[in-house]
Amino acid sequence: TEPLPSSFIVSGIGGSFTPSLATVRDFELAGAMLHGMQFVVGGSDAGNGFLGANLLGVFDTEFDLGKGVIRLFHAMACHNVGLAYWAGGALVGEIRKVNPGSGEDHHIYGEILVNGHKLTALFDTGAPSSMLNLRGARKAGIDMDAPQVVASMKMGGVGTHLQKSWI
């Protein structure tokens, strides 16, 4: 590993940390050999590894969450064609991919609807569950003071701090 600039900080709902950069000379995934892959490493999750946006966001990525599978593709000439060949007759949800970041931003963003309001979702490859921040909840018309909004367990992620959550 080698140090990243001190201004390079990874942050999430649990806090932040200054990571290091690991360069893997040869990284093989599903028969494809990738050379010089770089990964941001560090944080409070020692022993756990995550494949991040620098890999999943570069390829055409299919998330078959019902079966716990992620597939990497290079789709060609497939516009307006349903690519979920594995679904059989099951209903499949598709999310339109958007890119609000720069050309170097390989995070996976999609346009979603919450209560009929368009929001941009970030697919966090290390998050165990989906969540909506308070700003997004307000934009979706959710009244945080409504009686059906109840406090839940505290949640964490990158870093060691826990944050309040609601259902």
Side-chain angles (χ1 to χ4, degrees):
T1 62
E2 57 188 85
L4 287 164
S6 60
S7 61
F8 190 107
I9 296 173
V10 174
S11 62
I13 67 168
S16 60
F17 67 92
T18 302
S20 297
L21 182 68
T23 302
V24 178
R25 185 178 16 248
D26 299 312
F27 183 83
E28 184 176 352
L29 181 67
M33 182 64 74
L34 304 170
H35 303 287
M37 284 295 298
Q38 294 186 313
F39 296 94
V40 174
V41 297
S44 60
D45 295 323
N48 294 317
F50 301 103
L51 294 179
N54 67 322
L55 182 66
L56 299 177
V58 172
F59 294 97
D60 293 315
T61 308
E62 173 185 83
F63 296 88
D64 181 356
L65 301 179
K67 293 182 182 157
V69 176
I70 297 174
R71 295 177 185 91
L72 304 177
F73 286 91
H74 180 67
M76 294 172 33
C78 298
H79 300 290
N80 300 319
V81 174
L83 298 177
Y85 62 87
W86 44 263
L91 291 175
V92 175
E94 293 184 25
I95 297 177
R96 187 173 72 85
K97 189 173 176 182
V98 295
N99 188 2
S102 71
E104 294 297 312
D105 184 353
H106 295 296
H107 288 95
I108 300 170
Y109 299 95
E111 185 179 276
I112 62 170
L113 290 176
V114 178
N115 292 342
H117 298 272
K118 285 185 184 180
L119 299 174
T120 299
L122 166 66
F123 287 78
D124 182 343
T125 58
S129 60
S130 297
M131 62 187 77
L132 183 64
N133 64 22
L134 288 172
R135 188 172 134 232
R138 288 186 193 102
K139 186 175 179 181
I142 298 171
D143 178 3
M144 296 303 294
D145 296 320
Q148 58 272 55
V149 176
V150 295
S152 183
M153 65 181 179
K154 289 193 172 191
M155 299 181 77
V158 170
T160 58
H161 301 289
L162 297 176
Q163 300 291 329
K164 293 179 184 178
S165 71
W166 298 266
I167 298 174

